[in-house]
Each structure stands twice: as structure tokens, then as C-alpha cells.
Amino acid sequence: AQSVTQLGSHVSVSEGALVLLRCNYSSSVPPYLFWYVQYPNQGLQLLLKYTSAATLVKGINGFEAEFKKSETSFHLTKPSAHMSDAAEYFCAVTRNSGNTPLVFGKGTRLSVIA
Amino acid sequence: NAGVMQNPRHLVRRRGQEARLRCSPMKGHSHVYWYRQLPEEGLKFMVYLQKENIIDESGMPKERFSAEFPKEGPSILRIQQVVRGDSAAYFCASSRGGDQPQHFGDGTRLSIL
């Protein structure tokens, strides 16, 4: 069965600093991996997805993530944090088919300090 | 290009009442997923439906909860005889199927008095 672990329930960075949000997954089959962002009182917005093509995936808002099979990781990064990046970020995994339900991590709340 | 529409956004019920949550998928999407989010938790899968069929309900509580996605109209998540523990945010997602990602609505926040 698939599972996701997000290290750090809360991450705080200064504006302009590097953002690094960690995600490790467990999957018995080649996974599809996703990062979603959730702003207060809103639904989840897809940031990026990995579906077995390029291991470095670029998403919206300057975010990117690298799939590392040997480390079973899919960490999310952004070179320079902006105040508008403050939100909750969720990593998710599914089986190698988009038709299957997502398994989510518990989320990481990102705070950006001016 | 309307996204996934959920209504109501907020729903208050007293213990023992019924709650009905509606979800209209994005245009062209025939796959619907319901998830529940408890405070300080990630989203937990409840049920996956295609038009008129339940594909996977492994995350749905066995009692009081039901879901449908009729040929016409929105998908409905129904909770009978609500209890305090049902208080949560319920999210619906839709997709075209295949490798296409799921797109989420803004959720229904259910509060039980």
C-alpha cells in the first residue's frame, strides 16, 4: 500500500530564502507523485506532478520537485520564497494510474517572514 | 472554465440530522472522488465514483455514509444521523481519468452542534 511522510509539520523561512519541503513515499509499484497547495478556506491546487517522465518536475509559481527513487523522496523546492507562498502544502501518491485515489501526507504549513 | 463546484460551502447540522453535500465536477470530467479533512490532518480518501457507478468505497464508513453520482446532476455525499465526529471539511475532486490529475473544489465545512 502507498503512504507518504512529510517531515516537518511547520516550516518557516524568510522572504527571499530557499524553500525546501520534504516528502518521502512508500509504494510497492512505480508511483505517481503530486504536490498540492491549500490556502485558508480553499480547496487544493495542483502545483506539480511526477508520472515517470523527467525526474525533475517544474510546476507553477516557481516550484519544482525532484523524484529520487533511491531515496524514495520527492522534495519540493523554490529558490526564493515570496510572502504569497505562505500556505499548507500536501504531498500525495497514487498507483501508476491516474484513476486511483490519492494518499496524502499530513501536510506542511509554510510561513514566510518579511 | 468553471472548476469543481461544491455546495454548500458551510453546513451546520444538529446531532441526528442528515447532511447532504453536493459536487459538480469540471466540464468533461466523469470521475469524482470524495475526501475528508480533519483538523491538523491531511485528506483521507472516502469514495471514488464514475457516472452511476461506485468504483471504490474502501474509505467510506460502513454506516450512515453513502454517495452517488447520477447520470444527470451532481455527485451527492450523504451522511445520515450525524454525530460530532463527522465535523470536518469534505472535499470533492474530479478528473478525466487516465493520467489526468484530480482537480479539487473549495470544500464543504460541516459543523455538528
Side-chain angles (χ1 to χ4, degrees):
Chain A
Q2 283 77 17
S3 67
V4 170
T5 301
Q6 291 186 241
L7 296 176
S9 60
H10 189 198
V11 170
S12 186
V13 301
S14 298
E15 191 175 19
L18 171 72
V19 176
L20 171 60
L21 305 182
R22 300 178 187 274
C23 172
N24 288 90
Y25 70 91
S26 173
S27 178
S28 57
V29 297
Y32 282 10
L33 292 156
F34 306 81
W35 275 99
Y36 283 86
V37 60
Q38 184 180 32
Y39 297 99
N41 298 316
Q42 294 186 22
L44 279 69
Q45 180 182 3
L46 179 67
L47 276 177
L48 48 81
K49 64 176 182 176
Y50 166 77
T51 56
S52 75
T55 56
L56 182 62
V57 181
K58 293 188 184 298
I60 62 172
N61 301 340
F63 284 93
E64 63 182 35
E66 185 172 8
F67 173 71
K68 292 187 176 180
K69 185 178 178 180
S70 61
E71 299 178 7
T72 61
S73 68
F74 190 59
H75 302 331
L76 181 71
T77 60
K78 182 174 180 178
S80 177
H82 192 271
M83 297 297 288
S84 61
D85 294 327
E88 187 94 21
Y89 291 80
F90 293 95
C91 182
V93 65
T94 188
R95 297 195 297 261
N96 56 350
S97 163
N99 280 347
T100 55
L102 294 165
V103 176
F104 284 90
K106 290 192 173 184
T108 298
R109 183 170 301 278
L110 176 66
S111 297
V112 181
I113 304 167
Chain B
N1 211 12
V4 178
M5 303 301 292
Q6 290 189 248
N7 67 82
R9 290 294 308 277
H10 300 275
L11 181 61
V12 179
R13 285 287 178 266
R14 295 187 181 280
R15 282 177 293 173
Q17 291 184 321
E18 178 180 288
R20 281 186 179 235
L21 288 62
R22 294 175 181 77
C23 169
S24 295
M26 287 180 67
K27 187 177 181 180
H29 289 193
S30 59
H31 300 249
V32 166
Y33 308 78
W34 285 93
Y35 295 85
R36 178 165 62 178
Q37 184 179 33
L38 296 171
E40 307 302 321
E41 294 280 333
L43 279 72
K44 303 287 188 190
F45 165 71
M46 299 182 74
V47 61
Y48 164 33
L49 311 101
Q50 290 184 40
K51 281 290 187 181
E52 300 185 274
N53 292 306
I54 295 176
I55 307 302
D56 181 349
E57 56 182 349
S58 59
M60 192 98 99
K62 294 288 185 282
E63 298 179 352
R64 302 189 297 108
F65 285 72
S66 62
E68 63 178 11
F69 188 17
K71 186 176 180 181
E72 301 291 337
S75 175
I76 306 287
L77 179 67
R78 183 183 178 201
I79 311 172
Q80 295 178 289
Q81 300 175 333
V82 296
V83 300
R84 286 257 170 86
D86 297 332
S87 295
Y90 292 82
F91 289 93
C92 171
S94 73
S95 79
R96 292 182 184 275
D99 288 347
Q100 297 305 304
Q102 297 175 29
H103 296 265
F104 283 78
D106 284 342
T108 293
R109 279 144 185 89
L110 176 64
S111 298
I112 309 302
L113 301 179

